[in-house]
Amino acid sequence: MKKALFIVVALMLTIGLAACGSNKENNGNTANSGTTNEGNSGTNAGGNSGSNAGGEALSGSILAAGSTALQPLVDQVSKKFMEDSKYSGITVQVQGGGSGTGLTQVQGGQATIGNSDIFAEEKFVDADADKAKELVDHQVAVVGMAAVVNKSVTVDNLTKQQLVDIFTGKVTNWKDVGGEDEKITIINRPSSSGTRKTFEKYALGTASQDIPGSIQEDASGTVKKYVTDTPGAIGYLALSYLDDTVKTVKYEGVEAKEDNIVNGTYPVWAYEHMYTKGEPDAATKALLDYIMSDEVQNADVVELGYIPVTKMQVKRDAAGNVTK
């Protein structure tokens, strides 16, 4: 009897030890599994996911907002990007609103990318200067900007001083700058516009005025329509918007064309920036790399009237200093 009882107790102890060892092994596997998943995860704070060790495709949602001068390029390229099977899991939305809006939204986290015609340092100044330091600059193209007039205007060249006089309201009739007796109607952009800041900085050298009778429009496309439809109108547009519906005016006798911009002869141009807050996540980096690819730079960029950054023979910093 005692012998039988001893055998039963020994058997129970053996089974208990085996179960304990099995639980330890399972717990170890669970811990390893958690570490592996964390290491393979490409998800970031922005909600976009990168490829993991298993080769999963990129996914996520990108909002690029801001400059309407840059908008045609980002619109066209983002559609091609999403049609590529490698990036079919990424959704890109493109909005206008002006460079100032784009910079404010990316800095505040409302947009993934802030499209801008100006440096962040030009937007965030004085007490806000530290905000610019949090943004990473991705220069994707160069764009020239030119004064444009309605086809009724006979003037085809304006000096810097003549432009200043027009956009500050000193001159209100085309006859005062060599044209016909026709009222000048100014089509301006809002203060948040990077195109306006670029035109003021490099064409006028001073701020323009929102004078009575002038028209202010948020988008470059609308500016072009108003100039086209309004006799005596003058505005300014990125070269990417120019066509035969408006007349382009020379600046100090220099034509707004690629060769003159590339060599620095024509001064009214800007970098097209796509800012991110900090380094871009995997999906956003894929879009930026795609835009900077030879395929896009040598095709879409050129076809839409922009200039690849690599073609420039001069450089310009945020303060406007130009170097060879």
Side-chain angles (χ1 to χ4, degrees):
M1 182 71 178
K2 290 182 179 179
K3 184 175 181 180
L5 182 60
F6 175 79
I7 291 171
V8 171
V9 172
L11 182 60
M12 291 176 66
L13 287 172
T14 301
I15 293 171
L17 288 171
C20 182
S22 176
N23 286 338
K24 287 182 179 179
E25 183 178 352
N26 288 337
N27 288 339
N29 286 341
T30 300
N32 288 338
S33 175
T35 302
T36 301
N37 289 338
E38 182 179 357
N40 286 342
S41 175
T43 303
N44 55 59
N48 292 336
S49 299
S51 298
N52 63 21
E56 293 180 6
L58 292 165
S59 64
S61 179
I62 297 169
L63 172 60
S67 166
T68 59
L70 180 54
Q71 192 171 354
L73 177 62
V74 181
D75 261 331
Q76 178 168 305
V77 175
S78 63
K79 288 173 185 174
K80 291 175 64 176
F81 176 78
M82 288 186 287
E83 289 170 358
D84 191 314
S85 60
K86 297 191 295 294
Y87 312 116
S88 59
I90 302 173
T91 301
V92 184
Q93 292 179 292
V94 183
Q95 296 178 358
S99 298
T101 298
L103 289 169
T104 298
Q105 288 186 349
V106 72
Q107 216 289 328
Q110 292 86 27
T112 321
I113 296 172
N115 295 331
S116 178
D117 313 324
I118 61 173
F119 286 89
E121 293 90 335
E122 296 178 81
K123 165 66 177 174
F124 300 114
V125 298
D126 300 328
D128 290 332
D130 285 344
K131 292 182 179 180
K133 296 176 183 177
E134 296 177 348
L135 301 180
V136 177
D137 187 6
H138 309 275
Q139 296 176 5
V140 298
V142 165
V143 65
M145 296 173 187
V148 293
V149 296
N150 181 272
K151 286 192 167 183
S152 68
V153 177
T154 58
V155 172
D156 62 3
N157 176 66
L158 289 168
T159 66
K160 177 179 179 179
Q161 189 58 55
Q162 287 172 330
L163 282 170
V164 170
D165 290 344
I166 290 171
F167 280 91
T168 57
K170 184 177 179 181
V171 169
T172 59
N173 194 296
W174 285 109
K175 68 181 181 180
D176 296 325
V177 288
E180 301 295 323
D181 184 3
E182 185 175 33
K183 176 188 173 184
I184 297 174
T185 299
I186 298 172
I187 316 297
N188 214 339
R189 295 292 306 280
S191 59
S192 63
S193 165
T195 302
R196 176 171 175 167
K197 284 184 170 61
T198 298
F199 188 75
E200 289 176 339
K201 189 170 185 176
Y202 300 116
L204 307 182
T206 187
S208 60
Q209 304 295 320
D210 296 322
I211 58 178
S214 66
I215 299 170
Q216 189 175 107
E217 287 298 326
D218 288 336
S220 296
T222 313
V223 169
K224 183 172 76 170
K225 178 171 174 52
Y226 267 102
V227 172
T228 300
D229 296 343
T230 309
I234 183 172
Y236 44 87
L237 291 168
L239 269 57
S240 51
Y241 278 88
L242 299 185
D243 56 30
D244 60 5
T245 64
V246 294
K247 179 179 176 180
T248 305
V249 179
K250 295 176 183 176
Y251 179 79
E252 295 280 358
V254 181
E255 188 177 350
K257 64 179 184 179
E258 181 176 316
D259 289 347
N260 293 333
I261 294 169
V262 166
N263 64 28
T265 305
Y266 184 81
V268 193
W269 60 270
Y271 292 109
E272 292 293 17
H273 311 261
M274 296 181 73
Y275 278 99
T276 57
K277 190 167 185 179
E279 293 299 329
D281 56 63
T284 307
K285 185 178 186 302
L287 173 62
L288 293 168
D289 287 347
Y290 187 83
I291 291 175
M292 291 306 298
S293 67
D294 289 342
E295 175 188 355
V296 171
Q297 290 290 309
N298 296 330
D300 303 78
V301 169
V302 176
E303 290 166 7
L304 290 174
Y306 303 87
I307 302 170
V309 177
T310 53
K311 291 189 69 174
M312 293 297 291
Q313 298 170 14
V314 295
K315 294 181 179 180
R316 179 183 279 159
D317 62 20
N321 299 312
V322 176
T323 56
K324 292 285 186 179

